[in-house]
Amino acid sequence: MRTHVGIIGAGPAGLVLAHLLQRAGIESVVLESQTRPYIEERVRAGVLEQGTVDLLNELGLGERMMRQGLMHYGVELRFGGRGHRIDFADLTGGKGVMIYAQHEVIKDLVAARLAAGGEILFEAKDVSVGGFEGERPVIRFTQNGEPMELHCDFIAGCDGFHGVCRGAIPDGVLKAYEREYPFGWLGILAEAPPASHELIYANHERGFALMSMRSPKISRLYLQCEPDEDLNKWPDARIWEEMQKRFATMDGFSLTEGPVIQKGVTGMRSFVVEPMQFGRLFLAGDSAHIVPPTGAKGLNLAVADVRVLASGLKEFYASGKRDLLNKYSEICLRRVWKVQRFSWWMTSLLHKFGADSAFDRRRQLAELDYVTSSRAAMTTLAENYVGLPLE
Ligand SMILES: Cc1cc2nc3c(=O)[nH]c(=O)nc-3n(C[C@H](O)[C@H](O)[C@H](O)COP(=O)(O)OP(=O)(O)OC[C@H]3O[C@@H](n4cnc5c(N)ncnc54)[C@H](O)[C@@H]3O)c2cc1C
């Protein structure tokens, strides 16, 4: 088999790249190790930056998102028993974020890709990459037990944090920067109408909590917990009791409770490798970096990377020039590090750190007070949350 660009991974990075290339008349084949139903049901992120929303619409992929998603123009920061709204529209010239689940985005991207005759090879197993140091990259894999080879001009490693592409780059080329956090998030999906129409980020002395939603009938809620928290210790009643404590306000706020339909624990880490390219292999999205979910950035950062990669590939196929491709990593990393900073900052501002001293707690509350009372500080939060511009 032969194509222009071999894309490994049908997550947001791989699928958006395939669509961007298709629009530019560049052929690609997407290889995915899982089945289609698996990737279409995997519950993950749910906040799309304004730029991601605009891109999906521009590509003609946003019809269902615009019908079913919830556009939000603010969030609430809650501490000391009071809520404080950050008004994105006012602070950023009308921008907002879309609440639309990642697996719904995946469904839309897969359906549109297949309808347009594009290829996605599901259940591609034993994937390995080679030849990318020179001019003849090749992807080897098996499908239905048959060994296969895909020859291509470039390989896009969009295979997430646990994929094979990052590890295929020779030792000594990449440098990793990492931070692990001493907590995780216990997340639930519940059949309960959200108690507020916008997200609530709560800083509480018992730990962080986040109220989000998937639809007007389904709430998505998170509690700060131990990184290796045992879910068996968290029957639904205990989860609701703890949530109610962390979201409580002076004026008697109460969450709407309902059946819990999904439960899980997510670890928190910041991770970046530099550079994000080697020869004809390019890493994009989680294969190159991970952010803690507090800033709601993981999916959006994956999309931003592939926009840069698609521009570079477009330039190459139009003119044979590699100027943009050569700068891929440099261009992406400037934004990646700004987004890392924001995600780390939101995490530090809102969570309880095990070894916090009374001094640190007072400092955190003072910072929250500042962030919710200074227009300059609120603007900083708002412009990062709705998404920094692409260069
Ligand atoms: C449990 C969980 C909860 C999350 N919650 C949030 C959140 O609330 N907010 C937020 O902003 N972000 C969240 N994230 C992060 C966000 O979902 C990711 O940043 C985003 O999915 C990155 O997209 P990607 O395309 O780079 O990688 P992925 O979505 O991971 O896609 C990679 C794809 O490659 C496939 N693959 C892997 N290895 C191979 C291989 N060897 N061969 C072929 N295919 C392969 C995988 O099956 C997958 O489909 C969460 C992540 C997880 C895991």
Side-chain angles (χ1 to χ4, degrees):
M1 293 168 72
R2 184 156 182 99
T3 190
H4 288 138
V5 183
I7 301 174
I8 307 184
L15 291 169
V16 171
L17 178 62
H19 281 283
L20 287 167
L21 295 180
Q22 188 171 336
R23 184 174 65 167
I26 302 168
E27 279 174 29
S28 67
V29 173
V30 181
L31 274 82
E32 167 59 51
S33 55
Q34 302 291 343
T35 62
R36 180 175 178 184
Y38 181 88
I39 64 163
E40 291 187 342
E41 299 303 329
R42 192 165 43 187
V43 177
R44 285 179 153 190
V47 178
L48 309 183
E49 289 176 356
Q50 183 74 60
T52 306
V53 172
D54 294 345
L55 178 72
L56 292 176
N57 281 326
E58 212 182 294
L59 288 169
L61 301 165
E63 189 269 328
R64 206 165 62 95
M65 168 186 76
M66 297 309 287
R67 248 186 316 116
Q68 296 181 7
L70 306 167
M71 198 67 200
H72 283 190
Y73 292 98
V75 287
E76 181 182 320
L77 296 186
R78 188 172 286 187
F79 57 97
R82 288 201 174 80
H84 307 260
R85 183 168 189 264
I86 309 289
D87 186 335
F88 296 157
D90 174 43
L91 295 162
T92 66
K95 292 184 187 160
V97 292
M98 177 69 81
I99 309 302
Y100 188 61
Q102 178 167 333
H103 63 275
E104 301 296 343
V105 176
I106 295 292
K107 280 182 201 162
D108 297 343
L109 295 175
V110 168
R113 166 95 182 147
L114 298 177
E119 271 193 282
I120 306 175
L121 304 180
F122 291 102
E123 296 183 79
K125 302 294 180 194
D126 312 313
V127 174
S128 67
V129 290
F132 52 83
E133 293 180 44
E135 300 289 304
R136 293 172 189 275
V138 58
I139 305 174
R140 296 192 174 85
F141 60 103
T142 57
Q143 217 186 13
N144 303 319
E146 289 287 311
M148 315 270 276
E149 284 191 358
L150 174 65
H151 296 266
C152 44
D153 301 330
F154 299 97
I155 300 174
C158 302
D159 50 350
F161 186 68
H162 301 288
V164 294
C165 290
R166 191 176 64 248
I169 295 177
D171 287 349
V173 173
L174 301 181
K175 180 159 172 49
Y177 299 84
E178 193 163 11
R179 168 153 304 179
E180 295 245 358
Y181 298 87
F183 39 75
W185 280 12
L186 192 167
I188 61 165
L189 266 183
E191 279 172 4
S196 152
H197 73 281
E198 289 179 343
L199 271 62
I200 304 172
Y201 285 83
N203 171 307
H204 193 276
E205 58 201 17
R206 298 177 68 87
F208 167 77
L210 170 62
M211 196 221 71
S212 180
M213 66 277 298
R214 285 293 183 256
S215 74
K217 290 185 182 152
I218 305 281
S219 296
R220 177 88 170 131
L221 294 137
Y222 299 95
L223 280 177
Q224 177 180 349
C225 63
E226 293 301 318
D228 54 353
E229 191 73 54
D230 179 1
L231 273 179
N232 293 321
K233 293 189 183 152
W234 287 90
D236 298 358
R238 183 179 171 205
I239 295 178
W240 285 116
E241 194 188 334
E242 188 62 28
M243 294 276 184
Q244 297 289 10
K245 284 182 186 157
R246 295 194 195 181
F247 286 107
T249 58
M250 305 277 197
D251 54 7
F253 173 91
S254 174
L255 290 167
T256 327
E257 298 186 14
V260 174
I261 50 178
Q262 200 258 353
K263 231 187 252 191
V265 173
T266 311
M268 308 269 284
R269 64 150 66 97
S270 304
F271 174 85
V272 183
V273 286
E274 293 186 2
M276 291 167 56
Q277 66 193 92
F278 182 71
R280 286 176 172 245
L281 171 61
F282 295 84
L283 303 177
D286 278 16
S287 73
H289 41 67
I290 297 282
V291 283
T294 328
K297 293 292 171 211
L299 179 159
N300 297 293
L301 204 47
V303 171
D305 286 351
V306 296
R307 291 177 84 155
V308 179
L309 184 54
S311 302
L313 291 166
K314 214 169 133 183
E315 181 189 67
F316 175 82
Y317 284 104
S319 67
K321 285 193 196 157
R322 291 199 197 185
D323 300 11
L324 257 180
L325 278 181
N326 289 341
K327 282 193 180 163
Y328 166 74
S329 179
E330 186 189 325
I331 296 172
C332 287
L333 283 168
R334 278 192 70 189
R335 195 168 188 283
V336 165
W337 276 109
K338 284 183 206 151
V339 174
Q340 284 289 357
R341 181 210 69 82
F342 177 68
S343 303
W344 163 85
W345 175 76
M346 284 282 281
T347 304
S348 312
L349 180 69
L350 293 164
H351 289 74
K352 181 182 166 104
F353 283 75
D356 272 359
S357 64
F359 178 88
D360 287 325
R361 178 75 189 137
R362 291 284 188 284
R363 184 188 48 72
Q364 199 182 45
L365 290 173
E367 187 163 9
L368 280 163
D369 190 7
Y370 173 62
V371 166
T372 52
S373 56
S374 151
R375 187 170 173 91
M378 282 190 271
T379 306
T380 296
L381 191 157
E383 69 184 7
N384 279 277
Y385 200 95
V386 301
L388 294 174
L390 279 182
E391 288 186 31

